[in-house]
Amino acid sequence: MKVKRLNDYGIKMGKMEPGERNSISDVAGVTVGHVTINKGGVQTGVTAILPHQGNIFQDKLVAATHILNGFGKTVGTIQINELGTIETPIILTNTLSVGTATEGLIDYMIEQNSEIGATTGTVNPVVGECNDMKLNDIRGRHIQTKHVKEAIQQASADFDEGAVGAGRGMVCYSLKGGIGSASRKIPLHHGLYTLGVLTLTNFGQLEDLTINNRLLGRELTEKMNTVPNEKDQGSVIVILATDLPVSERQLKRIIQRSVIGLAKTGAQIANGSGDIMIGFSTATKIPHQPNGRLLTIPTIHEEEIDLAFRAASEATEEAVLSSLISVSHDEAYKKQSSEVMTLLQCLTKFDVRLS
């Protein structure tokens, strides 16, 4: 059954036009794969984002990261910030499985590149995380290295959102969160470009939830006898892809604007929140080995960057909300005494319309 998106409820986000799928995979070559573990108290998984369909170790991409609040355990951002490139798929999982996911990603990269650690340098694996302990037996560390390879192999331009992959056990605005995605077209005089965002959402309190400037969370909490009063200590990972020709400095400026999209959904960026942004551009491939010629990396003029700023904000806002809308509303999400409603379950229970 086709999952409804925000526009199916008559909600149009922002001013810019989305891509064909309204997904990060609207950026040509970008694919996403999931492995989801749904076994009783084990509610977790792995999500893999492939920046292009070639060998990314041999053909790297311009990349940048931004740490909004550093209460997180992401792997690989130091080298991205130093060299301005990415050379592996991006893996997302739960906090206590970062080590296993890193090992699995290294295994995959070594299989694809026999020279790693032999005749060339090592490799910089990129792994992000959120803490899914509210719904998942995180201490059991159920993620295995094989799950990383499976997620990569299953990557496709058409992928599920919601309570899948790394998003299986996540909670956003006191409701069931997970994986969300959105995209925007960027029309410039020299071409039509695309910017896409994927979010792993695990943050926020219900009373702060805002949809298209509507204080929906406040409407819901006013109807509740018992209002969720848990401390906001979750996290969000924002993955931004674009085919816009940019330098790593320009890309960092763009991904920083994703915070506007987070804020428009009601995010408060709490002390215990790990809010990490990772971005890459597919416009230029950078060879692993020098070929004796100067590298040519085209970039937009600084005066052309404002549309990319808006695209990052709008796509991030919609991706967060899509993670709430896209979950299966026929399931119960619970762990022992903890039970989390989906957004639509909550709206139905308290007789509030989404649009």
Side-chain angles (χ1 to χ4, degrees), residues 138 146 189 199 210 245 331:
I138 194 171
K146 69 177 183 179
H189 68 275
T199 56
T210 305
E331 291 189 62

Side-chain angles (χ1 to χ4, degrees), residues 34-311:
H34 303 297
V35 167
T36 305
I37 304 177
N38 175 12
K39 298 178 180 178
V42 182
Q43 301 290 319
T44 193
V46 172
T47 293
I49 301 97
L50 278 61
H52 68 65
Q53 297 306 294
N55 186 324
I56 193 169
F57 183 76
Q58 298 297 335
D59 293 308
K60 308 178 198 304
L61 297 179
V62 169
T65 76
H66 177 63
I67 300 172
L68 185 60
N69 195 62
F71 208 115
K73 289 80 181 168
T74 305
V75 171
T77 56
I78 292 176
Q79 183 169 310
I80 290 177
N81 290 339
E82 183 69 21
L83 301 184
T85 58
I86 191 168
E87 62 184 16
T88 73
I90 300 169
I91 303 299
L92 305 179
T93 190
N94 72 67
T95 306
L96 296 189
S97 294
V98 168
T100 302
T102 301
E103 185 178 353
L105 182 53
I106 292 172
D107 287 346
Y108 171 80
M109 295 303 297
I110 288 175
E111 288 177 12
Q112 302 296 311
N113 301 273
S114 60
E115 65 270 41
I116 290 176
T119 59
T120 188
T122 56
V123 66
N124 183 50
V126 181
V127 180
E129 54 74 36
C130 290
N131 183 351
D132 60 10
M133 63 183 284
K134 183 167 184 177
L135 294 177
N136 174 51
D137 172 28
I138 194 171
R139 287 170 59 89
R141 289 174 288 174
H142 300 279
I143 296 300
Q144 301 175 31
T145 56
K146 69 177 183 179
H147 295 141
V148 174
K149 185 174 181 179
E150 290 171 7
I152 292 172
Q153 291 174 334
Q154 293 176 23
S156 170
D158 295 308
F159 61 92
D160 292 333
E161 298 178 42
V164 293
R168 179 64 198 176
M170 302 302 170
V171 178
C172 183
Y173 290 115
S174 309
L175 302 166
K176 186 66 195 75
I179 298 291
S181 194
S183 68
R184 292 295 184 269
K185 296 177 182 178
I186 304 175
L188 297 175
H189 68 275
H190 42 70
L192 178 63
Y193 304 96
T194 304
L195 182 150
V197 167
L198 180 145
T199 56
L200 175 63
T201 62
N202 193 55
F203 68 96
Q205 294 175 307
L206 179 59
E207 64 182 351
D208 293 321
L209 175 62
T210 305
I211 297 184
N212 222 12
N213 298 318
R214 177 186 174 189
L215 302 178
L216 185 62
R218 188 176 299 175
E219 291 180 41
L220 289 168
T221 56
E222 286 174 353
K223 293 194 172 214
M224 294 179 174
N225 293 324
T226 303
V227 178
N229 190 30
E230 297 175 341
K231 188 176 182 181
D232 182 1
Q233 54 185 6
S235 301
V236 61
I237 304 292
V238 178
I239 308 299
L240 184 150
T242 186
D243 56 9
L244 191 67
V246 288
S247 68
E248 66 270 26
R249 178 189 57 78
Q250 290 174 321
L251 184 59
K252 186 176 181 70
R253 295 188 70 202
I254 292 168
I255 64 176
Q256 286 173 335
R257 268 58 183 188
S258 62
V259 67
I260 301 170
L262 294 177
K264 290 185 72 174
T265 70
Q268 300 301 308
I269 320 299
N271 170 64
S273 189
D275 308 299
I276 314 296
M277 294 82 176
I278 302 172
F280 58 86
S281 169
T282 63
T284 305
K285 292 184 173 65
I286 301 171
H288 178 65
Q289 296 290 355
N291 56 20
R293 298 189 298 272
L294 291 174
L295 291 176
T296 300
I297 303 177
T299 66
I300 61 170
H301 192 281
E302 223 68 27
E303 292 297 321
E304 298 175 309
I305 205 167
D306 281 344
L307 279 180
F309 287 170
R310 178 179 286 275

